[in-house]
Amino acid sequence: MTGNAYRERADRFARMLMQQAAWPAAVVVAANSLAPLAASARGAFETLPAAIALSVSAASAVAVLALSALLVFDALLFRLMASHNDEASGGAAVDGILARMRLKPSPSTTRPLDDRMAGTRRLLFKQRAALALFAAALLTAGFWAPR
């Protein structure tokens, strides 16, 4: 794929990734800043199930934030791809950066844009699963807290 269609597609995907990385991270940060206040006021740390649920929510919050950071990194790589005129040179530029950063070895052939997008979509799914686990654990902690 060459020209404006390739560039527009990669840039549009990068914009979408930035949005999809930002809002779950903002939700987790906001919920984590408010949850301890509500939990201590209700005595949630006094029961074992609530304490376990809060621990699970904290671990899943870290996972959401880490996956959001990875999605931002991927978005920047897609922006780099969009800055090149064709898919081959954009993919080669990304592969070169990843090899210089020692994150991936240099491939013999460059992967197409669709394959790269599919890999990032799997990362996006993992972020959503971690966000769902976070929400479920936070709600469970509220359920088990004494009234």
Side-chain angles (χ1 to χ4, degrees), residues 132-144:
L133 180 63
F134 171 75
L138 209 57
L139 290 174
T140 302
F143 176 77
W144 285 106

Side-chain angles (χ1 to χ4, degrees), residues 26-142:
V27 166
V28 165
V29 168
N32 269 341
S33 62
L34 297 176
L37 299 174
S40 64
R42 295 182 65 199
F45 296 111
E46 296 172 8
T47 64
L48 182 63
I52 291 171
L54 286 173
S55 298
V56 170
S57 74
S60 59
V62 169
V64 169
L65 294 175
L67 289 166
S68 290
L70 284 173
L71 287 172
V72 168
F73 181 69
D74 275 3
L76 295 174
L77 292 176
F78 278 105
R79 289 237 169 117
L80 174 67
M81 285 184 77
S83 70
H84 288 76
N85 289 332
D86 61 354
E87 189 173 352
S89 64
V94 167
D95 289 339
I97 284 180
L98 293 175
R100 284 192 302 273
M101 293 175 74
R102 296 183 182 162
L103 295 175
K104 278 189 165 184
S106 289
S108 57
T109 60
T110 59
R111 291 184 331 179
L113 182 62
D114 291 333
D115 289 351
R116 292 174 192 269
M117 287 178 160
T120 302
R121 284 191 181 105
R122 284 190 295 272
L123 232 136
L124 190 58
F125 176 76
K126 290 176 186 178
Q127 180 207 33
R128 296 293 164 77
L131 183 63
L133 180 63
F134 171 75
L138 209 57
L139 290 174
T140 302

